[in-house]
Amino acid sequence: MDLVHTLLAIWIIASLVFQNSSNVEGRYHYHRKPKTSHRGSSGSKSPVSSPDPQDPSSPTSPPSVPSDPYPNDPGNSSTNCVFDVRSYGAVGDGSNDDTEAFRQAWKEACAVESAVILAPEDYSFIITSTIFSGPCKPGLVFQVDGILMTPEGPDSWPKADSRKQWLVFYRLDQLTFTGKGTIEGNGQKWWELPCKPHRGPNGSTLSGPCDSPALIRFFMSSNLVVSGLRILNSPQFHMKFDGCEGVLIDKLSISSPKLSPNTDGIHIENTKAVGIYNSMISNGDDCISIGPGCSNVAIEGVTCGPSHGISIGSLGVHNSQACVSNITVRNAVIKESDNGLRIKTWQGGTGSVTGIAFENIQMDNVMNCIIIDQYYCLSKACLNETSAVHVNDISYRNIKGTYDVRRTPIHFACSDTVACTNIELSEVELFPQEGQLLEDPFCWNAYGNQETLTIPPIDCLRDGEPQNALEPSTYECN
């Protein structure tokens, strides 16, 4: 029995030692983040963030096109550390300048992982032109649930501020700009400037252009999410992405009047791996415009109109090189617009537009439903030149609806010296909104084929390849 008691005691001691060592190991792997300033939350004097699971994205490897839809609501995590701008002195009455409160909230939140800068609902905040720069800790959320607005018009714009941009997000990774609120651009007085080019009575236009601020700009940033917001009445472009990689745009509402000048909805340039989904855009210029240096862009579930449609370009201005590739637009609606699906380039440019797919597009009373214009020019002084951006591998599949009979619904005007090649048409059926069917689609130096007969019929597309086609290396992009 003594031997049995001895063995039992040894077993109990060993079990206790093993259990304690396991508890120590468990505590070792749990880290609480350091406490932040008491200003970090309106409800707690010392907010503490819980550890986050490992983020699957990494800025060291190029992101792929973000998928649709975004799987989580980035603004509703209970573990996020909230920096309410009211705690920094923001009044939110729609008349006081709250710029400094937003800058201070940004400064503190930028230093905390998974922080949330909150502009709460039921408040209207005015801020002046501001650059929110990084780098910041990953997972930063800028959440607008109330109203965020610009000063009202050029006379109220501080003289020291840039007149070319309002909110700029610069050198950031893993930023989310979201909320259920409104971004108000107060653009009316900017649109009325005498130097602003816009349509007047009887088709007249006033001279221009002149400086007006783009509302929101993302510059040299990666792994961005923009979702949920209403963005209204920008003085110029509503949203621009320049030099970015890995952009997800989802469930935005962008709106300005049909005749508001130069108010592109979403503009991207020198930006890669972009997904634009489930958004509604009505404005006075391009619904979505894609500039040089863009690739791997997916646009899906977007409704445009009134607008100038979805545009690739303009490209090649001032004899520049332009490279755009792998763009897909599908399951979209374009209505009451001056253009539908447009590719526009200047004479004298170089480079290429290639790998463009337009699929499942519904047109509703659109002029220029399908258009390639390699003679784009803002004046009558542009000359025909020997070089051009090469337009190649463009497909239009299941494009249906109605067009405005003032313009032919299909228009391929390609360069005299650099033909458009590999244009494919399938299930293109476009009928007049009212009046007689136009049976004269326009083609100039355009090569491709029809997988099915189009409505209206098109017989001007050339078969095969141009005899004077240059080597592919001629169009290669740096």
Side-chain angles (χ1 to χ4, degrees), residues 217-218 237 240-244 267-272 289-294:
R217 183 186 183 205
F218 296 87
F237 288 20
K240 296 177 69 174
F241 296 83
D242 187 3
C244 297
H267 174 75
I268 62 174
E269 59 184 81
N270 299 311
T271 293
K272 299 174 175 60
S289 55
I290 299 172
C294 293

Side-chain angles (χ1 to χ4, degrees), residues 326-394:
N326 298 331
I327 313 295
T328 301
V329 181
R330 61 164 58 97
N331 302 328
V333 176
I334 302 176
K335 57 185 181 180
E336 304 293 336
S337 294
D338 286 0
N339 301 288
L341 307 169
R342 178 165 60 160
I343 299 172
K344 51 182 178 176
T345 74
W346 294 75
Q347 286 286 297
T350 58
S352 66
V353 177
T354 185
I356 314 299
F358 300 108
E359 302 175 1
N360 305 330
I361 312 296
Q362 178 68 36
M363 302 280 185
D364 182 2
N365 195 26
V366 175
M367 287 197 294
N368 298 316
C369 293
I370 295 173
I371 178 170
I372 297 175
D373 180 10
Q374 293 214 270
Y375 299 89
Y376 183 75
C377 181
L378 297 180
S379 72
K380 295 181 179 180
C382 298
L383 300 176
N384 199 353
E385 302 192 32
T386 56
S387 64
V389 176
H390 183 210
V391 176
N392 174 61
D393 190 16
I394 316 295

